[in-house]
Amino acid sequence: MRIALLARRRSLTAAQRAAAAARVQAELVFLVRRLRPARVTAYVPVGSEPGGADLPAALGTALPPEADLLLPVLLDDLDLDWARYTGPGSLVAAGRGLREPTDPPLGPEAVAGAALVIVPALGVDHRGHRLGRGGGSYDRALARVPESTLTVALLHDGELVETVPAEPHDRPVRAVITPTDGLRTLVAAPRV
């Protein structure tokens, strides 16, 4: 499933990716302006990931002035630490093709204080099970997030699928955003 979804993403043209990124960003900006969260965690999309590389900048302009936008810092054990995003100039190249903030890390538990948690996924099913790239980084991060927190995965059209294989350690998301359908709330699977 992972291979097929990645191949489908790679087949998207630059114009298709840009159009999808604009629609996903617009929906996410609308959500952030409606919720006015004090802390949001997100990520910097790479390659064909939905949302576009300028997603943090778009989120930063949508947040209230006193709000924090935290981005992940990948640790050696593939867990995630979190640091404040302070603008496009605050990102540096990191391992695995990622871009990370240069602010001091706040610790892996910083994600627990977010009112909105935005995560990547290759696919998500209608119960909120998400398929990532296989490292477990976001499952560990989501395990630290209270169940009441809004967790949203960004997808391309066709990536909200019928079923995603799930393990006991997998943590479901509560919603997805796709270019065509926008924000969709899911029936989250119970945590084990």
Side-chain angles (χ1 to χ4, degrees), residues 2-115:
R2 187 175 283 123
I3 291 168
L5 288 167
L6 282 168
R8 186 176 180 282
R9 279 189 178 179
R10 282 192 294 274
S11 74
L12 296 172
T13 66
Q16 289 171 317
R17 286 193 306 268
R23 289 192 298 268
V24 167
Q25 278 186 24
E27 188 71 24
L28 198 48
V29 163
F30 177 76
L31 177 65
V32 166
R33 287 186 174 148
R34 183 169 53 88
L35 296 177
R36 301 189 52 76
R39 175 174 281 178
V40 173
T41 62
Y43 61 99
V44 183
V46 295
S48 60
E49 288 183 328
D54 60 341
L55 178 67
L59 287 171
T61 61
L63 284 168
E66 68 284 355
D68 285 328
L69 174 57
L70 304 184
L71 300 179
V73 175
L74 187 64
L75 300 173
D76 290 339
D77 65 358
L78 301 184
D79 203 348
L80 298 176
D81 202 332
W82 301 89
R84 283 183 182 87
Y85 170 78
T86 58
S90 70
L91 297 174
V92 295
R96 298 180 180 241
L98 301 175
R99 292 172 53 215
E100 297 177 345
T102 56
D103 261 33
L106 302 173
E109 296 297 327
V111 69

Side-chain angles (χ1 to χ4, degrees), residues 156-183:
H156 284 291
D157 290 334
E159 295 177 347
L160 180 59
V161 297
E162 203 55 43
T163 305
V164 167
E167 300 288 333
H169 65 272
D170 292 335
R171 297 295 181 222
V173 294
R174 295 182 55 206
V176 298
I177 291 178
T178 64
T180 299
D181 294 329
L183 180 68

